[in-house]
Amino acid sequence: MPEAPSTLSDDGNFDENNKKLLEFFEDITSNADDVQKKVLNEILSRNAGVEYLVRHGLNGNTDYDNFKKIMPVVSYEDIKPDIDRIADGDRSSIFCSQPISEFLTSSGTSGGERKLMPTVEEELGRRSLLYSLLMPVMDRFIPDLQKGKGMYFLFIKSEAKTPGGLLARPVLTSYYKSSYFKKRPYDPYTNYTSPNETILCLDSYQSMYSQMLCGLCQNTEVLRVGAVFASGFIRAIRFLEKHWPILCHDIRTGTLSSQITDPLVRESVMKVLKPNPKLAEFIEIECSAESWKGIIPRLWPNTKYVDVIVTGTMSQYIPTLNYYGNDLPLVCTMYASSECYFGINLNPLCKPCEVAYTLIPTMGFFEFLPVAREDEGPEKSKPYDKNDLVDLVDVKLGHEYELVVTTYAGLYRYRVGDILKVAGFKNKAPQFHFVCRKNVALSIDSDKTDEVELHDAVLKASTHLLPFEASLTEYTSYADTSTSPGHYVLYWEISYKNSDETLIPTSVFEDCCLTIEESLNSVYRQCRVSDKSISPLEIKVVENGTFDKLMDYAICNGASINQYKAPRCVKYAPIIELLNSRVVSSYFSPKYPKWVPGHKQWSSS
Ligand code: AMP
């Protein structure tokens, strides 16, 4: 297998280093087939004796054909009993011959709790390799980025210990806390305005405040801005909208707000912060202007692009980013998950709707479950067969697939849950549009709520209406991102036996809102309580007959009257307008739902 070039030498020969990395990428994509077979062989031979592979009958037989024939395709629920054993302290080689170093907690949930993905120490190196490819690619489109800084809003989240003592934390928290990030050798491409200490501060207010302050202080040096997801970057801009007066005070005087109490954060910020009344005045003038259109290039005038993921559910934020960015390019650089890092975008200046990620053949072994297309009729409902799985190099242009991975950390033929569409090829490696994540009805930030979860929560909440001889007859939902931060909206149509809505106290509807929030998964509740990236859930009660109107609308627009079902989630603007025009009252969740780090069955450490 081709070896990845080592990281940048101290003499900082960028061109040479970039060239080497791109040559490596050419090499692995040109030989994607061979590389994939070698990856599989390496994973299987290292792990030949592990319990999971033996249990499924691989018996040390590590060849490709045998694997394809024997190994089942699995979802999280299938491997959960084994995951739970590891979480409870079983250190035997269940999935992997190397020790599981920690669990990465995915934003996908199972039973309301984050899924736990096993990982091994060496995966950090693989993740670093993907990161190291991003800037050499970018340099081909926008040169000289190494001459300035990146203002990235990066955050860690809380971690917990499993009952067996393993750390469980999100993949980026693990990466930022690792020496790969903290002790990274000098590299002008990872020259960020945020000192490490501000990123590694768990208090989200102090972290955001100090990162914003450092970004403002170095405003003319900034050549690119970003966050991981679009929602995170918008949160930073909205933070600035609220806090610019005190940020300007700090810049004017060269003193740091007393709300920043973390000594390491204070020390690191004080190395950047110097009294600068001129800059403070400039920021004040821009921020107090009536319009915030183009605020990003106004405050950071040398910015070339906004680096955030705007594919998938994040596409809902494109208009807001275009407004703040005055149409600066929105760049989606990579596609990754807790299970495995997948690929990079080789054409970063393309439009968001054209983004395609080239999967990196060395990251894991990738297979693809064909997704039947609308026009394929009854085939659509045919259950999948493991023999249907297609290898990386055999996917077909224009076809849609569900991604299935086999990883070095011991996931074998694991369904990630993402649907991808083949957009083209880089040499022999396919490039994919991200189509969607399966079963996500609502999402504001990293939360992913599916219809079943929502339905269960709504049913539970609606029991609060029973004492008033009222019942919920129909509902639908909407992820409203026009508020800051965004929030879930539920449209409820209620039938009343002997009462009407006015006889139901406001507190009852508020209890309904809170019950829904309490019933949603822990990622939703963490976003609400800890990250504060979602605002209180709202129930909008609509006039009777509204859902009939919704049906009329759908039928007028071609839906079949026999098959019509009220959608459980709506996105289409005219439908939302229709619903909003018939709202009679609205109620918000009165307080935060409960949330603690870690799984609810673990005592938090
Ligand atoms: P997590 O396991 O919490 O790290 O989330 C990983 C999931 O986030 C992936 O499986 C995708 O569904 C989504 N995701 C990651 N990167 C992208 C991207 N570039 N575009 C769209 N969705 C993404």
Side-chain angles (χ1 to χ4, degrees), residues 105-108 114 171 229 309 311-313 332 334-339 342 357 416 418 434 437 448:
T105 56
S106 151
S107 56
R114 284 175 178 270
V171 60
F229 288 110
I309 291 177
T311 41
T313 54
C332 293
M334 61 183 274
Y335 167 44
S337 78
S338 314
E339 292 88 337
F342 302 123
Y357 300 102
V416 174
D418 290 343
F434 183 91
R437 176 147 182 128
K448 300 172 172 68

Side-chain angles (χ1 to χ4, degrees), residues 192-210:
Y192 302 132
T193 53
S194 299
N196 286 356
E197 293 77 2
T198 62
I199 296 170
L200 294 171
C201 170
L202 194 52
D203 180 298
S204 59
Y205 176 86
Q206 293 191 48
S207 178
M208 178 71 94
Y209 188 93
S210 54

Side-chain angles (χ1 to χ4, degrees), residues 546-567:
T546 300
F547 279 79
D548 287 343
K549 286 263 180 285
L550 210 66
M551 180 168 75
D552 294 345
Y553 184 92
I555 288 162
C556 284
N557 285 283
S560 144
I561 198 158
N562 295 323
Q563 290 169 335
Y564 178 80
K565 280 198 263 29

Side-chain angles (χ1 to χ4, degrees), residues 91-384:
R91 294 282 176 274
S92 60
S93 302
I94 297 175
F95 290 124
C96 180
S97 57
Q98 285 172 287
I100 301 298
S101 51
E102 60 183 314
F103 279 117
L104 302 177
T105 56
S106 151
S107 56
T109 55
S110 152
E113 298 294 328
R114 284 175 178 270
K115 291 176 184 165
L116 299 174
M117 296 301 164
T119 190
V120 292
E121 200 65 38
E122 66 163 44
E123 276 295 288
L124 279 162
R126 240 167 245 117
R127 282 175 221 138
S128 283
L129 169 74
L130 187 147
Y131 287 125
S132 72
L133 289 165
L134 301 177
M135 292 311 287
V137 170
M138 203 66 217
D139 180 71
R140 291 162 57 209
F141 298 86
I142 305 180
D144 293 338
L145 287 168
Q146 78 278 10
K147 296 188 174 153
K149 294 195 175 190
M151 180 181 70
Y152 284 85
F153 295 95
L154 306 175
F155 300 92
I156 57 162
K157 293 196 181 194
S158 58
E159 48 196 39
K161 278 229 164 99
T162 70
L166 278 176
L167 271 181
R169 54 189 180 179
V171 60
L172 291 174
T173 300
S174 164
Y175 186 73
Y176 299 146
K177 286 186 146 187
S178 76
S179 54
Y180 282 89
F181 182 78
K182 284 201 294 195
K183 303 220 161 72
R184 57 192 186 273
Y186 175 75
D187 174 350
Y189 285 149
T190 55
N191 192 359
Y192 302 132
T193 53
S194 299
N196 286 356
E197 293 77 2
T198 62
I199 296 170
L200 294 171
C201 170
L202 194 52
D203 180 298
S204 59
Y205 176 86
Q206 293 191 48
S207 178
M208 178 71 94
Y209 188 93
S210 54
Q211 294 194 51
M212 183 59 83
L213 186 59
C214 293
L216 288 168
C217 287
Q218 304 168 75
N219 72 324
T220 51
E221 290 173 62
V222 170
L223 300 185
R224 54 201 164 105
V225 301
V228 179
F229 288 110
S231 54
F233 192 75
I234 290 173
R235 187 145 33 103
I237 299 297
R238 301 254 160 93
F239 182 93
L240 179 63
E241 260 177 302
K242 204 160 150 200
H243 299 286
W244 63 262
I246 82 163
L247 286 157
C248 286
H249 170 271
D250 286 1
I251 295 171
R252 176 172 297 108
T253 57
T255 56
L256 181 55
S257 159
S258 59
Q259 286 178 316
I260 308 305
T261 53
D262 182 320
L264 293 177
V265 173
R266 288 194 73 86
E267 195 189 324
S268 66
V269 174
M270 288 316 292
K271 288 185 190 148
V272 179
L273 182 64
K274 303 280 170 283
N276 190 340
K278 234 169 120 187
L279 177 62
E281 192 190 351
F282 164 75
I283 298 169
E284 256 163 11
I285 292 171
E286 291 302 339
C287 292
S288 52
E290 211 169 291
S291 164
W292 269 48
K293 184 166 178 350
I295 197 71
I296 299 168
R298 275 158 50 192
L299 290 177
W300 294 278
N302 300 318
T303 306
K304 306 276 189 288
Y305 64 94
V306 183
D307 183 349
V308 283
I309 291 177
V310 285
T311 41
T313 54
M314 290 293 145
S315 61
Q316 62 192 330
Y317 295 107
I318 293 172
T320 312
L321 285 172
N322 283 338
Y323 179 82
Y324 288 136
N326 235 1
D327 297 324
L328 274 171
L330 302 179
V331 169
C332 293
T333 56
M334 61 183 274
Y335 167 44
S337 78
S338 314
E339 292 88 337
C340 181
Y341 276 26
F342 302 123
I344 60 173
N345 176 4
L346 293 180
N347 188 15
L349 294 186
C350 69
K351 292 196 203 113
C353 60
E354 290 165 359
V355 171
Y357 300 102
T358 306
L359 292 209
I360 302 177
T362 54
M363 300 306 278
F365 181 68
F366 302 118
E367 293 172 282
F368 298 85
L369 201 52
V371 175
R373 287 178 313 198
E374 294 284 324
D375 54 9
E376 284 175 343
E379 276 295 289
K380 235 184 128 195
S381 56
K382 187 178 134 243
Y384 78 87

Side-chain angles (χ1 to χ4, degrees), residues 472-506:
L472 182 67
T473 48
E474 275 295 3
Y475 74 90
T476 190
S477 64
Y478 170 56
D480 184 352
T481 54
S482 65
T483 58
S484 166
H487 71 300
Y488 288 10
V489 176
L490 273 295
Y491 294 93
W492 278 19
E493 188 170 317
I494 296 170
S495 74
Y496 306 91
K497 205 162 165 208
N498 293 314
S499 63
D500 65 46
E501 195 212 334
T502 57
L503 297 175
I504 304 180
T506 297

